[in-house]
Amino acid sequence: MQRKPDKPSNLYRQGSSNKNVVRVLYVIIVGLLGLIAYQNNYFQNTHDEMLKSTDEEYQKEIANYKEKEKSLSNQLKSVEREKESSEEKLHDLENQLKDAKLKNYSADNDKKVGELEHVVDLIIKKNNNLEKEIQESARKEALATFGAGPHKVKFELEFHPDEVPPGKRSDFIAELAPLELMPYTVNFFLTQVKLGLFNGCSFHRNAGHVVQGGPANNHLNPGVNVRKPFKDANLSSVIFQEYHKDFPHKKYTMGYAGRPGGPDFYVSTMDNTRNHGPGGQQSYALKSEADPCFAKVIDGFEAVDRMHKLTVQPGDYKRMKHYVAIKKVTIL
């Protein structure tokens, strides 16, 4: 009688079952990995599209800010001319009537002065409203471009080899004023730095109360026109003299020089609150204006003090004999 084959052992059946489980798990794992790869690719593409869309929206928004600021700037310049003209007329009329009153008092003269004063007040209010619009536009642009702050910049300097004052530091760090105090000027300065406009400029004046820098070439770049980039970027000067009483011209603060301020700036080597604050610059047409004070040195005071020790050329301007090269200014 033929013998029946032996039945597979339990061990064999268990091994076969384990292999099937492994195969199933392998298929599941491969499928999951494929799904994950697909999802990652999908989400990456979606993320890239979102970033592209966000960047386009951001650029469009910035362009809108710029266009609005340009429009407001033109309006402001027109109002400022109107304001200056009216103030001059008022000043002349007051001088004329002052002499007239001494000779013959007239109520009609007082009426004329009152009417002109009212016109000047209306122009000033219009001017102030435009400045507030510009500040708000600049604040939004600064937040979008540079963040909320505090904003800091680093100046890297090189002294002329023919006059190296005692000390080691040849760099300093400045912290910008809060955006809620000086939004327009802070955004203006940070934009100049972002575009590299101060790279290659110089500290060229040691006036005693300030060391002043700006677009003047130095021993590292003789003959280079460092003023042109400011003009090309339309960032030579501010469109109005922004100032806040809570950020005055204390020692080691930074302000824009001139009317309108810029592109030259200075670091105060003494407390210039009175000299450069409201009403301190009597030589300018609008005596109530102040220099914009927009930053303060927080590190590297020695570098400023070293510049303050440099010799100057003859004359009232106090031009340095040897300019200090501004090698690079960067946003930290």
Side-chain angles (χ1 to χ4, degrees), residues 204 310-323:
H204 56 81
L310 294 174
T311 56
V312 298
Q313 301 177 30
D316 295 336
Y317 188 73
K318 306 295 183 183
R319 190 180 300 278
M320 293 176 181
K321 284 186 176 180
H322 302 99
Y323 292 0

Side-chain angles (χ1 to χ4, degrees), residues 60-185:
K60 186 176 180 181
E61 191 172 3
I62 292 299
N64 289 337
Y65 290 150
K66 288 288 187 184
E67 190 62 32
K68 183 178 180 181
E69 186 175 306
K70 182 179 178 181
S71 174
L72 290 170
S73 173
N74 291 334
Q75 292 179 54
L76 183 62
K77 287 178 182 178
S78 175
V79 172
E80 284 181 337
R81 286 193 295 269
E82 188 180 357
K83 174 184 171 185
E84 188 173 343
S85 174
S86 297
E87 286 184 337
E88 287 177 358
K89 289 178 182 177
L90 178 61
H91 182 68
D92 291 342
L93 182 60
E94 285 177 336
N95 286 336
Q96 293 173 22
L97 296 181
K98 185 178 180 180
D99 294 335
K101 283 181 181 180
L102 293 175
K103 298 176 182 178
N104 183 24
Y105 174 80
S106 170
D108 186 54
N109 289 342
D110 281 347
K111 183 180 178 181
K112 288 180 180 178
V113 172
E115 289 174 349
L116 194 50
E117 285 177 340
H118 179 65
V119 170
V120 171
D121 286 341
L122 290 176
I123 293 172
I124 290 174
K125 287 179 181 178
K126 185 178 179 181
N127 185 87
N128 291 340
N129 288 336
L130 282 170
E131 288 179 358
K132 287 178 181 177
E133 284 193 60
I134 291 171
Q135 286 177 311
E136 180 59 18
S137 177
R139 186 187 68 82
K140 289 179 179 178
E141 183 180 339
L143 285 172
T145 308
F146 306 109
H151 308 97
K152 298 176 183 178
V153 296
K154 182 177 182 180
F155 284 77
E156 298 176 42
L157 313 174
E158 183 173 312
F159 290 89
H160 194 286
D162 290 344
E163 187 177 11
V164 180
K168 295 181 179 180
R169 289 295 294 268
S170 57
D171 66 280
F172 66 89
I173 296 173
E175 181 176 297
L176 281 293
L179 284 177
E180 59 266 25
L181 300 184
M182 297 287 291
Y184 169 70
T185 311

Side-chain angles (χ1 to χ4, degrees), residues 23-308:
R23 290 192 187 98
V24 171
L25 288 175
Y26 176 78
V27 171
I28 292 173
I29 291 171
V30 170
L32 286 173
L33 289 174
L35 179 61
I36 291 170
Y38 170 79
Q39 287 180 328
N40 284 343
N41 186 58
Y42 171 78
F43 287 126
Q44 182 63 46
N45 291 337
T46 304
H47 178 66
D48 291 343
E49 290 176 3
M50 289 175 65
L51 284 178
K52 183 179 179 182
S53 175
T54 303
D55 185 61
E56 289 175 352
E57 290 175 3
Y58 163 75
Q59 294 298 336
K60 186 176 180 181
E61 191 172 3
I62 292 299
N64 289 337
Y65 290 150
K66 288 288 187 184
E67 190 62 32
K68 183 178 180 181
E69 186 175 306
K70 182 179 178 181
S71 174
L72 290 170
S73 173
N74 291 334
Q75 292 179 54
L76 183 62
K77 287 178 182 178
S78 175
V79 172
E80 284 181 337
R81 286 193 295 269
E82 188 180 357
K83 174 184 171 185
E84 188 173 343
S85 174
S86 297
E87 286 184 337
E88 287 177 358
K89 289 178 182 177
L90 178 61
H91 182 68
D92 291 342
L93 182 60
E94 285 177 336
N95 286 336
Q96 293 173 22
L97 296 181
K98 185 178 180 180
D99 294 335
K101 283 181 181 180
L102 293 175
K103 298 176 182 178
N104 183 24
Y105 174 80
S106 170
D108 186 54
N109 289 342
D110 281 347
K111 183 180 178 181
K112 288 180 180 178
V113 172
E115 289 174 349
L116 194 50
E117 285 177 340
H118 179 65
V119 170
V120 171
D121 286 341
L122 290 176
I123 293 172
I124 290 174
K125 287 179 181 178
K126 185 178 179 181
N127 185 87
N128 291 340
N129 288 336
L130 282 170
E131 288 179 358
K132 287 178 181 177
E133 284 193 60
I134 291 171
Q135 286 177 311
E136 180 59 18
S137 177
R139 186 187 68 82
K140 289 179 179 178
E141 183 180 339
L143 285 172
T145 308
F146 306 109
H151 308 97
K152 298 176 183 178
V153 296
K154 182 177 182 180
F155 284 77
E156 298 176 42
L157 313 174
E158 183 173 312
F159 290 89
H160 194 286
D162 290 344
E163 187 177 11
V164 180
K168 295 181 179 180
R169 289 295 294 268
S170 57
D171 66 280
F172 66 89
I173 296 173
E175 181 176 297
L176 281 293
L179 284 177
E180 59 266 25
L181 300 184
M182 297 287 291
Y184 169 70
T185 311
V186 166
N187 185 59
F188 184 85
F189 177 76
L190 287 174
T191 303
Q192 289 178 316
V193 174
K194 180 185 177 184
L195 295 177
L197 300 184
F198 290 113
N199 300 343
C201 291
S202 309
F203 277 96
H204 56 81
R205 185 183 181 216
N206 181 8
H209 64 300
V210 299
V211 287
Q212 184 170 321
N217 52 294
N218 50 70
H219 64 285
L220 298 180
N221 59 353
V224 176
N225 185 352
V226 289
R227 188 172 293 274
K228 186 176 183 297
F230 287 90
K231 292 182 179 179
D232 291 344
N234 196 29
L235 291 169
S236 291
S237 58
V238 296
I239 57 177
F240 75 98
Q241 301 294 113
E242 185 179 41
Y243 181 80
H244 200 286
K245 62 181 179 61
D246 292 338
F247 206 87
H249 291 274
K250 299 287 188 180
K251 186 176 182 180
Y252 295 119
T253 57
M254 295 174 61
Y256 277 119
R259 290 292 186 280
D264 272 31
F265 65 94
Y266 55 81
V267 181
S268 288
T269 53
M270 58 176 280
D271 189 332
N272 286 312
T273 301
R274 182 184 295 272
N275 294 334
H276 292 175
Q281 303 286 297
Q282 292 295 311
S283 59
Y284 294 114
L286 297 178
K287 297 176 175 54
S288 61
E289 286 185 337
D291 286 354
C293 186
F294 59 87
K296 60 181 178 181
V297 177
I298 60 171
D299 183 54
F301 302 101
E302 184 190 44
V304 178
D305 295 339
R306 292 179 75 194
M307 289 191 286
H308 194 214

